[in-house]
Amino acid sequence: SLIAMVVLAGWLVVPSVTVTHAAPPTRANNQALLAAASPFEDLTESALANDLRGMRQALKTYGDQAAAVNQVLSEPARQEMAALLTAIKRAESKGDNQEVALNAVEAYRVLVESLDPNGLTVPIQVAKLDYVGFKLKVLLAAEPPDWAAIQTTIEAAGRHWHELEPRVGDKGLCDAVKAVLAGLQQATTAKNAEMAAFAARMDLALVDLLEGYFERAAK
């Protein structure tokens, strides 16, 4: 949770107030990207749970949206998505669900990074923190966990939170994020996978709270 909040903070971009004409297409594009990102969250969870039916449903859900999403993505992002989908299908055919989850969470990242911050109610850093939480869950599910990759992910979360924190006026929420980040670092230093996995779940819960905070603030 803490890491996710940190990551989200780092990606926070102050919205522009001069996007009157661009706002409608920007909003529509962002909605398409966020809708397409959701199946990759489901795919990640299903792959970690070895739920083959859930995995196939998530891929079908994305497939139904892929053509529209490709019109929104930049050419480099389209190429990265195509490579990730190829890797996902290859891993699925081999029954390597850990590899499916790793590639699914990166596909989520590509879509989130393609969002236009100017058209978002919730700062993009929040979605980045969400990515961090899912990435940690996947990394911690491996045997043994890749602690170097986990440390790198936690450091990124810290940078993101540093950027986001000034925009969060709720002291309790800020303290919770800091506590989760500290817990993640402590668990990683100790190579305590159970503690780190708990902190990653807390990170994802805090992302939900951050989303609610910014949505209420926008009303």
Side-chain angles (χ1 to χ4, degrees):
S1 263
L2 200 49
I3 284 188
M5 289 187 119
V6 170
V7 168
L8 193 52
W11 288 88
L12 188 62
V13 177
V14 177
S16 167
V17 293
T18 58
V19 291
T20 310
H21 299 303
T26 293
R27 238 185 333 265
N29 289 349
N30 281 346
Q31 286 170 352
L33 289 165
L34 289 168
S38 182
F40 287 105
E41 289 185 301
D42 296 340
L43 179 58
T44 302
E45 296 279 17
S46 295
L48 291 177
N50 294 316
D51 175 5
L52 299 183
R53 187 172 180 179
M55 289 164 57
R56 287 175 186 139
Q57 181 58 50
L59 284 169
K60 180 183 183 304
T61 300
Y62 176 72
D64 292 342
Q65 305 172 59
V69 172
N70 281 337
Q71 294 180 347
V72 176
L73 294 175
S74 67
E75 182 59 30
R78 274 197 298 273
Q79 291 178 3
E80 188 171 6
M81 282 297 294
L84 288 166
L85 285 164
T86 297
I88 286 168
K89 288 168 184 172
R90 185 186 306 122
E92 183 193 20
S93 70
K94 294 191 300 182
D96 188 346
N97 292 345
Q98 175 73 13
E99 190 67 19
V100 170
L102 277 171
N103 285 285
V105 80
E106 294 307 321
Y108 177 84
R109 172 189 55 77
V110 172
L111 294 169
V112 164
E113 287 179 346
S114 299
L115 292 166
D116 183 342
N118 293 322
L120 295 172
T121 299
V122 178
I124 196 170
Q125 285 77 7
V126 175
K128 294 282 189 173
L129 287 172
D130 203 24
Y131 158 72
V132 165
F134 275 104
K135 179 72 176 282
L136 288 170
K137 280 187 71 172
V138 175
L139 291 171
L140 288 161
E143 284 290 346
D146 183 343
W147 290 108
I150 291 166
Q151 179 63 40
T152 298
T153 304
I154 291 172
E155 289 169 1
R159 291 192 296 272
H160 300 320
W161 174 242
H162 179 72
E163 293 176 12
L164 184 59
E165 184 179 2
R167 296 188 62 182
V168 181
D170 184 325
K171 184 179 183 298
L173 188 51
C174 286
D175 288 347
V177 173
K178 290 174 188 174
V180 169
L181 288 171
L184 277 166
Q185 184 58 67
Q186 183 180 350
T188 301
T189 300
K191 292 184 169 52
N192 185 328
E194 187 176 350
M195 180 181 173
F198 175 76
R201 289 195 298 272
M202 290 298 297
D203 166 80
L204 291 169
L206 285 172
V207 165
D208 291 339
L209 294 177
L210 284 169
E211 288 174 350
Y213 172 84
F214 284 105
E215 286 167 355
R216 287 191 301 274
K219 291 179 180 176

